[in-house]
Amino acid sequence: VVWSYPPHGRALRDCLVRLVQHSRNTVVIAAMSFYETEKVECLHQALLEAMKRGVRVTVIVRPDHFRPDQFPDHSTKHLLENGLRLLGVSSLHAKGIVVDENACAIFSGNVNPFSLDCQDASAQVELGLCEYGDAKILRHYGKWLTELETKADFEYA
């Protein structure tokens, strides 16, 4: 279990970074929103490096919180140019990550500076549960996250 709370610690961010850094094949992230990752530099860099290693990185967002007329933002466009696959699933409220079917986490934060950077005045208290290896508790959640790709309403270009 990881907690992030201002002004102490960025445990949720650091957990996500570690998971992405150790990925070998696939990363699927689901969140209501995903933006301004350049302000969470270590995560942005970990995503870029994973894609350079050949890892397939997919992010699934809720379209009404990530409207195509306003997003993707500059940092998300940069990730898209480097291979990120960005999908929209209506009514999505799930937040989590599955990596190589070997690690899975469910968390309360979105993937943006307000949820992941505890130095920001508007940062929230966030938490996550991560399971590695033979995921017994989160096994079905990880499978569902992976299957979300097939439920996408559209793909951001």
Side-chain angles (χ1 to χ4, degrees), residues 75-112:
S75 62
T76 305
K77 286 180 183 176
H78 182 236
L79 293 172
L80 286 166
E81 291 165 358
N82 284 275
L84 179 76
R85 187 166 180 227
L86 182 61
L87 306 174
V89 174
S90 297
S91 302
L92 178 71
H93 194 84
K95 299 166 190 163
I97 184 172
V98 62
V99 177
D100 297 334
E101 298 181 8
N102 189 40
C104 184
I106 185 170
F107 43 86
S108 63
N110 287 295
V111 183
N112 63 54

Side-chain angles (χ1 to χ4, degrees), residues 88-150:
V89 174
S90 297
S91 302
L92 178 71
H93 194 84
K95 299 166 190 163
I97 184 172
V98 62
V99 177
D100 297 334
E101 298 181 8
N102 189 40
C104 184
I106 185 170
F107 43 86
S108 63
N110 287 295
V111 183
N112 63 54
F114 298 106
S115 288
L116 300 179
D117 187 351
C118 290
Q119 295 304 310
D120 193 296
S122 63
Q124 304 293 315
V125 174
E126 303 291 3
L127 64 99
L129 171 64
C130 185
E131 193 169 56
Y132 301 90
D134 184 22
K136 295 183 182 353
I137 295 172
L138 295 177
R139 178 180 56 233
H140 296 293
Y141 187 66
K143 183 179 178 192
W144 180 79
L145 285 175
T146 301
E147 291 173 357
L148 265 180
E149 290 186 75
T150 65

